Amino acid sequence: MKTKQIVLASRPNGIPTLNDFRSENIELNDLKKGEVLLKGLYYSVDPYMRGRMNEGKSYVPQFELDQPIEGGVLATVVESKSDLFKTGDTVLGALPWSEQMITSEKGLQKIESTVESLTYYLGILGMTGLTAYFGLMQIGKPKAGETVVVSGAAGAVGIVVGQLAKIQGARVIGIAGSDEKVKMLKEEFGYDEVVNYKTNTNMKSTIAKLCPNGVDVYFDNVGGSISDAVIENLNFHSRIALCGQISLYNSTEIPMGPRIQPMLLTRSVLMQGFIINNFQKDFPEGIAHLSKWVNEGKLKFTETIVEGFDQLPTALLGLFKGENNGKMIVKR
């Protein structure tokens, strides 16, 4: 049986281009005991994938040249030689960018959806929602009446973080990259105020005006000069959950910024980086809370769904241009 896959053709220097990817047709092997044949339904596209395109060690293995890109995929079982899954089951796993694939039963999760959309398991009830939940609740620890600032607020994680902070009784300020996103975050997702960083000429001053009592929690998805401006407004004993640095992912050299250690020292600030697998043993707790709030209507979500398997590279590149509202997903 033949299928199509998308591989890493070259390691990008700076911003990736479509030339860094290649589509190719391959022949699938026969099924072995404990394996399943899957047909991809929805493919998750995430900023962390950019780091995996580089050489060097990281918290997750790098993509190999001439091998498929890999990410979260919702798929249907077409054929099974597994005792755990039968034909017709819907599963979630870390799987290759391939229209169809043969994989081991290990690492697959059977999905029996009880929510509005199956794609929520790639987003608010998947790694996206869990990243927001544990980063905010375990590191940020917002209290009622505190001020929480979220960069990359219109991204998949940022949308969830803001709502979780509101559930905890905090005042929430977002940073986003267009007037459309500002409007969406305030009207649909309950953000108290949102700054368009692309049209703002003095982020430090604007954050100070919007946060007259200072910033207690900063959920950082972006880094760079935006984070510099927020850090200047931190309160004593404030907390920074360091989730992403998307403004720096395509840098070809290490940019120089303010030295933030004196600020962290003199204001007794906690800054902690994290990856979602740090909290793996607590995933059931996180999913239970997120599911409850979704079903109660306290948590809403939005997705940007791109049609067509061949659009996967274009969708990934779109993340770095801010072309997504919420979670970026490709539908096969």
Side-chain angles (χ1 to χ4, degrees):
M1 178 187 298
K2 287 187 180 295
T3 192
K4 182 188 290 185
Q5 64 181 13
I6 298 174
V7 305
L8 180 65
S10 58
R11 299 199 184 278
N13 180 26
I15 300 174
T17 71
L18 293 177
N19 292 330
D20 294 316
F21 304 87
R22 184 177 68 251
S23 294
E24 56 186 31
N25 294 315
I26 61 166
E27 189 78 31
L28 293 176
N29 297 322
D30 293 331
L31 274 182
K32 299 176 183 175
K33 177 67 176 174
E35 292 184 333
V36 289
L37 170 64
L38 303 177
K39 179 173 70 175
L41 298 173
Y42 296 96
Y43 300 77
S44 178
V45 180
D46 301 284
Y48 80 88
M49 292 177 167
R50 173 62 185 88
R52 294 188 69 185
M53 296 173 76
N54 295 332
E55 286 186 301
K57 290 184 178 180
S58 184
Y59 62 88
V60 65
Q62 307 306 92
F63 295 135
E64 295 183 23
L65 286 173
D66 302 315
Q67 295 299 313
I69 305 292
E70 179 187 91
V73 179
L74 281 163
T76 297
V77 177
V78 176
E79 187 181 344
S80 176
K81 287 193 175 180
S82 163
D83 295 331
L84 302 179
F85 304 101
K86 65 181 185 299
T87 300
D89 283 347
T90 300
V91 297
L92 171 66
L95 297 167
W97 280 7
S98 184
E99 290 188 317
Q100 295 192 80
M101 63 218 77
I102 290 175
T103 187
S104 168
E105 64 190 18
K106 296 177 182 178
L108 295 178
Q109 174 187 350
K110 184 177 179 180
I111 298 297
E112 296 177 347
S113 181
T114 59
V115 293
E116 175 184 339
S117 173
L118 190 64
T119 55
Y120 275 25
Y121 291 93
L122 289 177
I124 198 167
L125 298 182
M127 293 300 104
T128 297
L130 292 170
T131 297
Y133 178 84
F134 288 111
L136 183 69
M137 304 300 286
Q138 296 290 333
I139 300 173
K141 298 181 179 179
K143 304 178 183 69
E146 289 190 325
T147 297
V148 176
V149 174
V150 185
S151 60
V157 172
I159 282 175
V160 182
V161 171
Q163 294 177 89
L164 293 177
K166 292 297 291 184
I167 290 172
Q168 304 308 308
R171 182 169 179 268
V172 185
I173 310 300
I175 302 171
S178 73
D179 290 339
E180 176 191 16
K181 291 179 179 180
V182 168
K183 185 172 185 288
M184 176 190 73
L185 289 168
K186 293 180 70 174
E187 294 183 358
E188 297 181 35
F189 298 103
Y191 270 77
D192 294 290
E193 297 289 346
V194 185
V195 183
N196 181 349
Y197 74 89
K198 290 185 178 179
T199 58
N200 193 281
T201 58
N202 190 330
M203 285 294 294
K204 176 183 173 182
S205 175
T206 300
I207 295 295
K209 289 177 183 176
L210 293 178
C211 307
N213 297 319
V215 176
D216 299 295
V217 179
Y218 176 40
F219 197 102
D220 186 9
N221 290 304
V222 171
S225 60
I226 288 173
S227 290
D228 295 340
V230 178
I231 288 169
E232 288 283 348
N233 288 282
L234 290 175
N235 277 333
F236 285 88
H237 303 290
S238 54
R239 289 81 67 196
I240 302 173
L242 188 56
C243 179
Q245 298 283 280
I246 194 169
S247 71
L248 307 178
Y249 290 164
N250 294 314
S251 298
T252 56
E253 56 187 44
I254 299 175
M256 181 64 69
R259 307 289 188 179
I260 65 171
Q261 290 91 333
M263 177 73 71
L264 304 185
L265 172 64
T266 58
R267 298 192 184 182
S268 301
V269 175
L270 168 70
M271 180 167 71
Q272 182 176 335
F274 73 100
I275 57 173
I276 187 55
N277 287 341
N278 296 156
F279 304 98
Q280 193 161 13
K281 66 180 177 62
D282 298 319
F283 280 3
E285 170 209 326
I287 292 172
H289 279 104
L290 292 166
S291 298
K292 176 176 180 289
W293 289 325
V294 167
N295 289 325
E296 291 175 348
K298 293 180 179 178
L299 269 183
K300 297 188 292 182
F301 199 55
T302 189
E303 302 163 324
T304 299
I305 297 183
V306 177
E307 297 271 353
F309 176 79
D310 291 333
Q311 296 303 309
L312 273 162
T314 300
L316 178 58
L317 301 187
L319 291 176
F320 304 105
K321 303 174 186 176
E323 293 177 355
N324 61 304
N325 285 336
K327 180 70 176 176
M328 181 74 91
I329 293 172
V330 172
K331 180 180 180 182
R332 179 177 176 272

